[in-house]
Amino acid sequence: MNKFVVLATLFASAMATADPSYSIAAYPAPAYPAPAPAYPAPAYPATMPAYEQPAYSKPAEEDYSPMPFDFAYEVKDDATYQDFSHKEASNGKVVTGSYRVALPDSRTQIVTYKADENGYVADVKYEGEAKYDEYKPAAYPAESAYPRPAYPAESAYPRPAYPAESAYPMPTYSEPSNPKPAYSEPSYPKPAY
């Protein structure tokens, strides 16, 4: 350990001293002219302008109490299979209504709803029974409209000819010449199970 400390101290002192055979180069510091500004300096006002507090008007909904209303419409167009209707009424506090839609599976969905200060409550019902068309796979022709391609029995090109044996001899490998390691038996006892 002492040898290591002495060796490390010698190495550190050798690294700390400068080599006397070389002098340190003395170069003058580079001098560059100051660049001219490409843009003028920004001019900010000394004081920020004082803005007045905005005055907001009262929303128009607060001026009027809820008005009662009642409307209804219905569409039934057999050519485009559209069949729906909507009816809604309000007394100014409670909105009630219903709408009905013909679904693609031949049922009619009827939604009756009520909306008041407690929230929106809907009751959904279905009239009729769902009917689905039976699956019919598309009919494909048994034979193609185009004739089957005809291939010649023999190729126009000759088959490649490969030599029976390779022109190069098979490589032979000799046993490695390095000696096999010799291990002695371990000196510790074998475990007993």
Side-chain angles (χ1 to χ4, degrees):
M1 179 70 181
N2 290 340
K3 290 179 184 178
F4 176 73
V5 172
V6 170
L7 191 62
T9 306
L10 283 173
F11 181 72
S13 65
M15 293 302 290
T17 60
D19 192 359
S21 61
Y22 299 108
S23 62
I24 296 175
Y27 296 107
Y32 301 108
Y39 302 102
Y44 298 110
T47 59
M48 294 299 290
Y51 294 105
E52 296 178 15
Q53 183 69 19
Y56 297 106
S57 61
K58 193 168 59 167
E61 292 84 26
E62 293 181 6
D63 293 340
Y64 304 106
S65 61
M67 299 291 290
F69 64 88
D70 186 10
F71 74 88
Y73 65 86
E74 184 172 353
V75 174
K76 183 161 180 68
D77 186 12
D78 292 333
T80 59
Y81 302 102
Q82 296 200 26
D83 185 7
F84 56 92
S85 64
H86 186 188
K87 180 170 53 170
E88 186 171 289
S90 171
N91 63 1
K93 294 185 180 190
V94 178
V95 178
T96 57
S98 67
Y99 60 89
R100 61 188 309 128
V101 179
L103 300 175
D105 60 4
S106 75
R107 295 182 298 167
T108 302
Q109 179 184 20
I110 303 168
V111 179
T112 306
Y113 59 90
K114 176 181 176 182
D116 56 10
E117 67 273 357
N118 296 324
Y120 179 85
V121 179
D123 179 34
V124 182
K125 295 179 184 174
Y126 294 94
E127 284 183 353
E129 189 171 326
K131 298 175 189 167
Y132 301 101
D133 294 336
E134 184 179 335
Y135 173 72
K136 297 176 185 173
Y140 292 105
E143 283 295 317
S144 174
Y146 301 101
R148 289 187 177 270
Y151 299 107
E154 281 294 317
S155 174
Y157 301 101
R159 291 189 172 272
Y162 299 107
E165 286 190 25
S166 174
Y168 301 103
M170 290 295 290
T172 57
Y173 302 104
S174 60
E175 190 69 25
S177 60
N178 54 339
K180 293 189 176 178
Y183 299 108
S184 59
E185 280 291 316
S187 59
Y188 53 86
K190 291 187 177 179
Y193 297 107

